[in-house]
Amino acid sequence: MSGRLARRGMLLGSCLAAVVGAAAPGTAYAAGAANIPPTVKNLQTEGRDCLTDAEPMYLRQRPTLSAEFTDPDANGSGTAEFEIWWTDTDGAEQRRTLSAQWPLNGRRGLPVNFDLPADTVISWRVRANDGIANSEWSPAGPGAACRFVYDDQAPETPVVTSSDFPEETYWGAGVGIYGSFTVDSPSPDVVEYRYTFNGGSSGSVRPAEMGGPATIRYVPLSSGTKVLAVSALDRAGQQSAPRNYTFIPKSASAPVSQWKLADPAGSTTAAAETGQAARAGSGVTFGASAPAGTPLTATATLDGSDHGYLTTDTPAVDSGRTFGVGAWVRPAETGRSMTVLSQDTATGSAYSLGLDSAADGSAAWSFALGDAKVSGGTPKAGKWSYVLGVYDTETGKAQLFVDGWETGTKAEAAPVAADGAFQIGRLQGKDGYQQRWHGEIGDVRAYDRLVVPDEVTSLAQRKSKELGHWSFVTSEDGTTPERNGGAPLRLATGATVHGIPGNGCSDCAWPLEGDGDLKLDGERGYAVLDKPVVDTSDSFTLGVVAWIDPDDATRPMTVLSQAGEHTDAFKLRYDPKAYAWQLVMPVRDEVGAPETVVSQITSPDGASGHGTKLAVVYDDAAGTVTLYIDGYTNAGGTARVAQGWTSNGPLQVGRARTADGTDGADGWGEYLKGHVDELQAYSGALTEHEIRFLGSEW
């Protein structure tokens, strides 16, 4: 032995007992040795630090009490004693003790295992004994002890009221308009209200004073029945049953000002759908074309001169509050800054929506409010875009949307109220009007609310238009017709229309779809339209059904391509090394240019062995290209595309450009050996739902 009494092993357990502080009888000391008492520090109640002068902790359960113990002599186990006390309802002090033996070398804790009075301040302290001497008690002076209150009652269900969104009525605020809910609780100890809307978006608010009311702000993004569920949380962390409050926001309100700018040629004013008619300068010409695929029938051309503008006498919308402004625009140039819409102040402009041109020749769309500006997107001369600026006073953020997509980074902005004239096509600066618009503008709108996501998408939506559908049912004079009387596909040697097999057939395979398909020999067979089928610089969709015998899939084979001057703008091919269909899009019309490639793994004869329904969607607004297999895609089937480029070459079915003319000296290769059917082409990006209807004869 070391001269001291060997200590017992750790004993787990607790008891209500007093701990003797003197050395145990029979304890012996080595000559000249002096014992150093243990120490206690860093007290915690239920894992939370005890802080000097702090308010008592409020707990919803009997806690575990703990502290850090240190025995400088490292003599093994010792005893910890926790003393707990309170004053009962009769004014008498009550004390209890918990003790346990364990090594005095770290944080140790004991759960309180006896009943505690509710709503009463309970204090505790702790000391340790190493078998020879006691430590000092943990601090127990005024405000220094660990204190807590045991709360065994959850708060009552809160009360919810709202004049903006009355319960179960249609007379409340509408889509895009902020409103308030007041939540309150009969329980005096509530410190927080937690809420969800329709079981989705969630948040919390705290009352100014414990037990008081709080306000929840909300903006509906869609109409129809909504449910606000609110629970009260007390300072002990106990949560009430939820209060479910049902309300029904109204549909979105119409713009407060709108000009379609589809007035008859020669008009000197633009009629307002809502708001005030706008006077037109002599540099405005009505009757210009409208963006395809939209409800618009005409737009106005502004010539970029001092007279190319439209204006009103009053603001289109109150810019000191939440608002949104937008329009369809087609710039005639991008080499200088130009304004689509703006609002006059006494000396300048409250806000503006337009095109910013940089010194390096680059251009971007922009929405400015006061000193704040959001910029993004890439304007293109001669190309339509829908631009929309939105300011939210609740968040203090300005946002810019281009073609239905948020672009740029939200900017912190302060509201700028103005009572001057509203301008279309120019911006008021210190020296007069400037940044005059050159190009077309149509359907100018101003909203006195948020423009919600579904509206943003809808305003910029351009309905896809079918450009051609070839079902390969018949052929005549070396061509196969387009279903609706459009341009036929010319068939080269080695390309034949394959119909339903008859008796005694030599090729008894049935067509992929309907009554016929296109059979290609993989050597010189292809079909060609003799002109581009889609504008590859803008959004487009292509669908086709293809089948390749797995035994023939020994090299890359292309089912569709459309050529530029030096390379294909796209090619859709099967690559046997990757076991996948691939869409390949060079970033520019240049031999050897970097390529964007998306792929989907599948068998060359399709998942069922009866062919694969392929679809390609290029969404110019989103800057993405997607490959679908049998109506579906995945993460590997979509990629970002910086910018499409125009290809003027014809649509090819069954072959692609190859840099070295791999399969022939004429520069063409990757001839497909197999069957092709139901070729469909659209301007615009079809939705995922619409894609699933491609690939059938009807």
Side-chain angles (χ1 to χ4, degrees):
M1 305 289 287
S2 63
R4 298 184 183 179
L5 181 65
R7 299 209 174 101
R8 291 174 293 173
M10 183 173 63
L11 173 65
L12 294 177
S14 61
C15 61
L16 297 175
V19 178
V20 177
T27 300
Y29 295 90
N35 181 63
I36 302 175
T39 60
V40 178
K41 63 180 180 179
N42 297 335
L43 280 61
Q44 290 185 343
T45 304
E46 197 61 24
R48 295 157 59 186
D49 292 339
C50 298
L51 303 176
T52 301
D53 298 327
E55 287 292 316
M57 299 179 190
Y58 283 79
L59 305 174
R60 58 186 177 183
Q61 60 193 21
R62 290 181 300 185
T64 292
L65 313 179
S66 71
E68 290 183 9
F69 298 89
T70 304
D71 183 1
D73 293 324
N75 291 321
S77 66
T79 304
E81 179 186 9
F82 294 83
E83 186 178 53
I84 305 159
W85 70 92
W86 65 88
T87 301
D88 65 19
T89 55
D90 295 327
E93 185 179 79
Q94 302 292 327
R95 286 185 179 264
R96 303 287 187 274
T97 301
L98 291 171
S99 65
Q101 282 190 295
W102 47 40
L104 301 177
N105 58 358
R107 179 168 294 280
R108 307 292 179 183
L110 281 176
V112 175
N113 61 357
F114 50 84
D115 290 339
L116 294 172
D119 303 319
T120 300
V121 176
I122 299 170
S123 302
W124 67 274
R125 61 182 182 171
V126 64
R127 68 180 176 180
N129 180 278
D130 63 3
I132 300 172
N134 284 325
S135 71
E136 295 290 333
W137 281 106
S138 58
C146 281
R147 300 186 300 156
F148 65 89
V149 175
Y150 172 52
D151 184 349
D152 63 350
Q153 293 291 323
E156 295 186 47
T157 301
V159 176
V160 181
T161 58
S162 176
S163 58
D164 295 321
F165 301 104
E167 190 168 18
E168 296 184 344
T169 74
Y170 289 93
W171 303 109
V175 170
I177 298 176
Y178 279 96
S180 296
F181 299 89
T182 299
V183 291
D184 203 350
S185 174
S187 300
D189 59 346
V190 168
V191 295
E192 184 178 323
Y193 299 95
R194 295 179 178 177
Y195 62 87
T196 63
F197 284 96
N198 283 15
S201 60
S202 61
S204 64
V205 291
R206 301 182 70 89
E209 296 181 355
M210 186 170 62
T215 299
I216 297 172
R217 293 287 285 167
Y218 174 72
V219 57
L221 302 182
S222 62
S223 58
T225 301
K226 316 289 182 192
V227 178
L228 166 64
V230 186
S231 296
L233 197 74
D234 67 17
R235 55 191 164 180
Q238 297 196 100
Q239 190 164 310
S240 73
R243 165 69 163 96
N244 293 322
Y245 183 94
T246 301
F247 61 103
I248 310 169
K250 293 185 293 187
S251 297
S253 58
V256 290
S257 298
Q258 180 182 6
W259 301 268
K260 289 187 176 180
L261 303 187
D263 303 85
S267 298
T268 57
T269 60
E273 302 297 308
T274 54
Q276 185 184 58
R279 299 187 305 279
S282 59
V284 176
T285 303
F286 293 102
S289 62
T294 70
L296 302 182
T297 58
T299 60
T301 299
L302 282 64
D303 65 5
S305 72
D306 289 353
H307 305 288
Y309 66 90
L310 297 101
T311 187
T312 64
D313 294 325
T314 57
V317 66
D318 182 358
S319 56
R321 306 178 68 178
T322 295
F323 74 98
V325 288
W328 278 102
V329 295
R330 182 169 63 181
E333 56 182 300
T334 59
R336 63 181 180 88
S337 296
M338 301 190 295
T339 297
V340 179
L341 312 171
S342 68
Q343 171 62 52
D344 288 355
T345 63
T347 58
S349 174
Y351 65 83
S352 65
L353 182 68
L355 180 158
D356 281 352
S357 181
D360 63 2
S362 62
W365 298 110
S366 69
F367 175 52
L369 179 65
D371 295 329
K373 180 181 286 190
V374 188
S375 298
T378 305
K380 299 176 185 177
K383 181 178 177 180
W384 285 105
S385 289
Y386 188 83
V387 291
L388 172 72
V390 176
Y391 176 62
D392 184 345
T393 54
E394 296 280 331
T395 64
K397 301 285 190 180
Q399 294 174 269
L400 173 65
F401 299 86
V402 178
D403 293 326
W405 297 87
E406 185 175 3
T407 186
T409 302
K410 295 182 181 72
E412 292 280 355
V416 182
D419 57 7
F422 177 67
Q423 305 292 338
I424 301 175
R426 63 181 183 178
L427 174 74
Q428 182 174 242
K430 294 180 179 179
D431 300 321
Y433 290 105
Q434 57 191 26
Q435 295 188 7
R436 300 172 187 274
W437 182 262
H438 183 199
E440 283 70 46
I441 300 178
D443 197 22
V444 174
R445 299 179 179 220
Y447 294 88
D448 62 350
R449 56 175 177 81
L450 287 184
V451 184
V452 299
D454 283 351
E455 289 179 298
V456 172
T457 300
S458 178
L459 287 168
Q461 188 172 23
R462 300 177 67 177
K463 187 176 180 181
S464 299
K465 178 183 179 182
E466 187 177 77
L467 303 174
H469 185 171
W470 294 266
S471 290
F472 305 107
V473 176
T474 63
S475 63
E476 183 177 356
D477 297 329
T479 65
T480 186
E482 195 274 329
R483 286 167 49 96
N484 299 307
L489 287 167
R490 179 168 52 83
L491 305 179
T493 301
T496 57
V497 170
H498 168 71
I500 296 175
N503 294 330
C505 58
S506 58
D507 182 357
C508 296
W510 281 73
L512 298 179
E513 296 287 335
D515 295 333
D517 64 23
L518 178 66
K519 182 178 180 181
L520 300 171
D521 66 1
E523 296 179 2
R524 307 303 296 166
Y526 66 93
V528 64
L529 188 61
D530 288 337
K531 66 177 182 179
V533 68
V534 293
D535 178 0
T536 52
S537 70
D538 206 347
S539 299
F540 67 85
T541 301
L542 290 166
V544 70
V545 184
W547 178 90
I548 301 171
D549 189 319
D551 292 338
D552 294 327
T554 59
R555 57 179 174 79
M557 298 184 193
T558 293
V559 62
L560 296 177
S561 68
Q562 185 167 298
E565 183 178 354
H566 303 289
T567 189
D568 290 318
F570 68 84
K571 64 179 175 182
L572 179 58
R573 70 175 188 172
Y574 190 81
D575 183 353
K577 290 184 178 180
Y579 301 100
W581 283 100
Q582 296 178 333
L583 173 66
V584 181
M585 295 185 70
V587 299
R588 54 184 174 271
D589 190 7
E590 180 182 294
V591 174
E595 296 174 333
T596 298
V597 180
V598 293
S599 61
Q600 296 261 41
I601 295 175
T602 188
S603 171
D605 58 349
S608 65
H610 300 292
T612 304
K613 293 183 178 181
L614 302 162
V616 173
V617 178
Y618 170 54
D619 189 332
D620 183 60
T624 59
V625 62
T626 303
L627 173 62
Y628 291 85
I629 297 291
D630 294 327
Y632 296 91
T633 190
N634 56 32
T638 299
R640 298 287 302 176
V641 178
Q643 185 173 325
W645 50 272
T646 301
S647 62
N648 296 317
L651 173 71
Q652 305 282 338
V653 182
R655 67 176 185 173
R657 288 249 189 169
T658 54
D660 55 1
T662 303
D663 299 328
D666 57 0
W668 294 100
E670 296 190 0
Y671 285 87
L672 184 139
K673 183 177 182 181
H675 291 253
V676 179
D677 207 355
E678 303 307 330
L679 170 58
Q680 295 167 266
Y682 293 83
S683 64
L686 293 188
T687 66
E688 193 164 312
H689 175 73
E690 292 169 325
I691 289 295
R692 293 172 188 166
F693 292 93
L694 298 180
S696 66
E697 190 169 307
W698 303 105

